[in-house]
Amino acid sequence: MDDRQWTRSARDFTYAPWMDRDSGSPPVYVVSAESCPVRDEGIEYASRLFRAGVSVELHQWAGTFHGSQALLSASVSRRRFDELCAVVERALSD
């Protein structure tokens, strides 16, 4: 997502739900797994957004690996899914 909003769609669709041209970037929820090849990139992405003044929620799940959320029999996967549902519910109720 480019917060400079220079693309045609950013100019044409200025008042979409949860994001309009005047409000900048919406709040961001970033999840990373402890044993994931892109873990550090996700954490850096969240950090850069935070330094830019964007509201960021970052959760790095200890003991997990890339794609481990698909193993729904694991308690950590169920907690991760429940957290994601709660984040989406909060976003939709705001």
Side-chain angles (χ1 to χ4, degrees):
M1 300 295 297
D2 189 333
D3 66 350
R4 294 174 294 180
Q5 299 178 339
W6 60 271
T7 64
R8 180 173 178 157
S9 63
R11 290 189 310 270
D12 289 349
F13 307 110
T14 57
Y15 295 101
W18 301 294
M19 183 175 164
D20 61 52
R21 190 164 179 84
D22 297 328
S23 68
S25 295
V28 176
Y29 173 71
V30 178
V31 176
S32 68
E34 181 177 14
S35 300
C36 178
V38 295
R39 176 199 63 207
D40 295 342
E41 291 175 41
I43 293 170
E44 177 61 22
Y45 174 66
S47 297
R48 289 177 68 193
L49 288 170
F50 179 75
R51 288 191 303 268
V54 176
S55 176
V56 177
E57 183 173 344
L58 170 65
H59 193 139
Q60 193 266 304
W61 289 90
T64 61
F65 55 89
H66 187 88
S68 63
Q69 73 276 10
L71 303 173
L72 295 178
S73 61
S75 62
V76 68
S77 296
R78 291 192 304 276
R79 289 194 318 271
R80 186 172 168 175
F81 180 77
D82 290 345
E83 180 180 285
L84 176 59
C85 290
V87 167
V88 171
E89 185 176 322
R90 281 195 312 267
L92 294 176
S93 66
D94 286 346

